[in-house]
Amino acid sequence: MHDFHYRLPARMGGQRPGAHAGSSRGPGMEFISHQSLYNQPDPRRLDVRASLREPRGDWLVRVSRQRVSVPVYVVADVSPSMAFGAKHSKLQVLADFAEAAGHSAFRAGDPAGLIAFDYSEREDLFRPAALSRGAGQQLAAPLRLAPVSRAMPAKANLAAGLLQAAQRLAGRQALVFLASDFHWPLAPLDDVLGLLARACVVPVVIWDPAELEPPAEDGLVVLRDAENASRRTLWLRPRLRQQWRAAVAARRDALKAFFEQRGLRPFYVEGAFNAEAMSEYFLEANL
Amino acid sequence: MTLLGTGFAFDFVQPWALALLPLALLPLLRRHREELAFPALAWLPPDRIGRLVDGLGRVFAVAALLTAVLALAQPGRPESEVPRIGRGAEIVVLFDSSLSMDDEMVKRGQLPKRNRDSPLRKRNIAREALARLVARRPDDRFALLMFGAAPFRVTPFSQHPDVIQAGITAAGVSNGLPGTDLGRGLLAAISQFDHRAYTGSRVLLLVSDGAAEIDDSTRQQIRDGMARNRIALDWIYLRSANWPRLEDEDEPRPTALITDVAMHRFFKTLPTAYHVFEAESPDAVSRAVAEIERQQNLPLEYLERVPRRDYSPMLYLFAVLACTLLFVQRAYVLRSWT
């Protein structure tokens, strides 16, 4: 079990005490100001030294902010393309990540939940945020049980599914891990990010090494798209490998540019989830 | 089942196997199990070479199935009879090598002498005439047999002039052999034609100066053999000096002549063509040979029976070839990502 440390870039509201900088007043160590005992009748917080300095002779009470707990949601893409993977499927990697996220959330005192989507929201995989020692397993279990649906609706639109799923979090303050392989047009993502404006969104880009790096030996590969009926036959050769790598690099650049414009930084998971890298990601974050 | 095309016949021994032909379309179907799922095809470039190699594999597979199914049906060209024109004749020269052939050929009224090196010896005259015949007929195939008490083959059928001329030369080397067993000689000559395709007129050229007794069963065998192999008989009868012509005598009186006439009469009863050329001088021998040459020079039209030709081995070969190419192609297909 690998968990990671995370912190949030902004103060969050909320009444539930937790580990994150909050915006609500309450019992906390973070001092804001003094107030008259009459306005804040809490004699436990009486500040005698400040009261003596007070020219009007009022009794002053220390007012501080409390730290809050913030729900952590993993918004998971379970579309068929996530079933891809050479050693283990990206879905398994996603489950590993969800488990780590759930566990980390419990360690930080935050409730963790799971929202899954493919071409619509997958309510069967929904797990409401709960503060539980077993949150990791609770988040991972639905993902481990191969939830990929083979049936593809006629007008399969992954972004629509995501938008539907994001409605659950609309306007809420939360830490949202948006885990997907992002093999879909990014433009509709703006609507989603609009819904999640108050949340802290971390795009988790899950890719498999097999899709990033072409096979080493020359030969014929017959490929079928995981999500639609199209197919492509390639004769692997150095020139094609070059094009393949260039396409991956271009996609990386596109993702980077898109998220940077919106103040987000994608976290890449390639092959296996690395909790330490996730911790580093949060430490590096320009908060 | 026979399909008659444009002068090109075609049949199948097992036509029911053609019902399997639609199997050949199977490789054209999409093979989901052999495709590798990929999450984002959009970022891979379309590849013409890849499609070509894939298409080649399908072509090989279709070809392998198609040829295998066709081979099962055993197509072939049916047995047929083809009219052919034979140019050269096949001539078996049956050369009498008995002692009497060493006699000189003399004019009527003279006494024949037996002189070994005389160019007038019957043997030498006949040889020279034959040599000319062979030299002038390069299209023909000759075989040379000699017989005395027993026949023996000097050269088998050959079109090679040197071989035939050498054989003819050899006929003059030895002294005459004792005995004249014409029946065995004829049977041996006839057997030369056994198991040979009939490609031109067949001539048994008997060069002899006299005949011998042939018993009835041998006569029957000769008759059957001549008919079976369709052989024309030409007899250059090197008549001994001062002897009457074969046709002249009603009942030949000289004892030696009795057998000759008897033979002549037997030959006339043969089912096939028979000509006798009586020659009592070197010129007459040449004339006789020239006559034979003229007669056997006609092109022969005959029907050759062409056996059924089975194409299935060839098709199996193609199927094996296509399978091999398919294996090579398949060896290059990546089956998994790891």
Side-chain angles (χ1 to χ4, degrees), chain A residues 84 86 90 183 211 215 217 219-220 222-226 229-235 237 243-244 247 251, chain B residues 30 32 34-41 43-47 49-51 53-54 58 329 332-334 337-338:
Chain A
F84 174 79
K90 292 192 279 189
H183 287 317
E211 61 187 302
E217 65 264 45
L220 189 73
V222 184
L223 297 174
R224 158 171 51 86
D225 197 296
S230 68
R231 49 182 277 183
R232 198 152 290 181
T233 312
L234 305 176
W235 179 258
R237 56 190 188 279
Q243 287 174 325
W244 185 315
R251 185 64 184 169
Chain B
R30 242 181 110 161
H32 272 281
E34 299 189 356
E35 290 171 348
L36 293 171
F38 193 77
L41 271 193
W43 76 18
L44 299 183
D47 183 23
I49 299 181
R51 278 207 304 273
V53 175
D54 185 48
R58 281 163 201 275
Q329 194 261 2
Y332 281 101
V333 176
L334 299 184
W337 290 107
T338 44

Side-chain angles (χ1 to χ4, degrees), chain B residues 148-162:
Chain B
F152 56 94
R153 194 173 68 181
V154 180
T155 61
F157 271 112
S158 166
Q159 207 168 356
H160 210 283
D162 292 347

Side-chain angles (χ1 to χ4, degrees), chain A residues 3-199:
Chain A
D3 49 358
F4 54 88
H5 300 284
Y6 59 91
R7 51 187 188 145
L8 300 175
R11 291 176 186 279
M12 295 281 173
Q15 283 70 49
R16 209 175 268 274
H20 305 289
S23 56
S24 52
R25 296 181 192 175
M29 302 300 287
E30 197 181 347
F31 174 74
I32 313 172
S33 67
H34 290 103
Q35 267 196 333
S36 162
L37 182 63
Y38 300 105
N39 294 336
Q40 187 79 27
D42 184 4
R44 291 174 301 174
R45 300 265 169 176
L46 206 59
D47 190 338
V48 178
R49 191 189 297 252
S51 301
L52 289 176
R53 274 208 306 266
E54 161 64 31
R56 285 182 293 173
D58 270 352
W59 290 101
L60 295 181
V61 176
R62 293 166 67 92
V63 177
S64 53
R65 284 197 182 108
Q66 73 167 9
R67 293 184 78 78
V68 294
S69 86
V70 175
V72 174
Y73 274 100
V74 175
V75 178
D77 176 1
V78 292
S79 63
S81 74
M82 292 294 284
F84 174 79
K87 285 209 186 82
H88 21 252
S89 72
K90 292 192 279 189
L91 214 54
Q92 294 303 314
V93 176
L94 173 57
D96 289 345
F97 164 70
E99 189 170 357
H103 198 69
S104 308
F106 173 72
R107 295 272 295 255
D110 294 333
L114 173 72
I115 299 171
F117 69 97
D118 43 24
Y119 305 108
S120 60
E121 195 203 335
R122 288 287 297 271
E123 290 180 17
D124 54 328
L125 303 178
F126 174 65
R127 295 288 181 274
L131 182 63
S132 153
R133 186 173 292 278
Q137 279 76 15
Q138 278 181 17
L139 262 57
L143 297 173
R144 289 209 197 282
L145 295 173
V148 172
S149 67
R150 294 294 315 166
M152 281 176 272
K155 284 182 181 169
N157 187 351
L158 212 57
L162 174 56
L163 198 63
Q164 196 185 344
Q167 298 289 348
R168 285 190 185 274
L169 299 173
R172 299 205 12 212
Q173 290 196 312
L175 171 60
V176 175
F177 290 104
L178 180 52
S180 169
D181 51 9
F182 292 95
H183 287 317
W184 29 278
L186 293 178
L189 199 55
D190 265 333
D191 293 343
V192 176
L193 292 178
L195 284 177
L196 301 177
R198 297 194 61 206

Side-chain angles (χ1 to χ4, degrees), chain B residues 35 52 64 70 83 106 128 152 157 170 174 186 202-203 208 211 239 246-248 254 258 276 284 329 333:
Chain B
E35 290 171 348
L52 186 76
L70 281 178
V106 292
E128 277 167 29
F152 56 94
F157 271 112
S174 69
L186 283 171
R202 295 173 160 183
V203 180
S208 162
R239 191 149 47 119
L246 287 174
E247 295 283 0
D248 285 354
I258 294 172
V276 66
Q329 194 261 2
V333 176

Side-chain angles (χ1 to χ4, degrees), chain B residues 32 70 135 137 144 167 185 198 223 258 293 318:
Chain B
H32 272 281
L70 281 178
R137 302 196 50 140
L144 182 61
Y198 191 84
R223 193 176 284 127
I258 294 172
E293 188 187 332
F318 276 123

Side-chain angles (χ1 to χ4, degrees), chain B residues 86-146:
Chain B
R87 288 252 165 239
E90 287 185 324
I91 300 175
V92 172
V93 180
L94 184 59
F95 200 90
D96 185 356
S97 194
S98 62
L99 214 52
S100 60
M101 287 290 279
D102 287 342
D103 288 348
E104 282 184 343
M105 199 172 250
V106 292
K107 289 207 179 71
R108 198 168 275 270
Q110 286 182 332
L111 200 66
K113 282 180 282 187
R114 195 165 285 178
N115 181 357
R116 201 179 161 197
D117 297 320
S118 161
L120 287 177
R121 281 202 315 173
K122 292 181 194 167
R123 185 195 289 271
N124 290 348
I125 290 165
R127 274 175 44 216
E128 277 167 29
L130 281 176
R132 283 199 299 276
L133 176 73
V134 170
R136 262 178 291 170
R137 302 196 50 140
D139 284 345
D140 293 354
R141 285 168 295 286
F142 288 91
L144 182 61
L145 277 86
M146 303 211 295

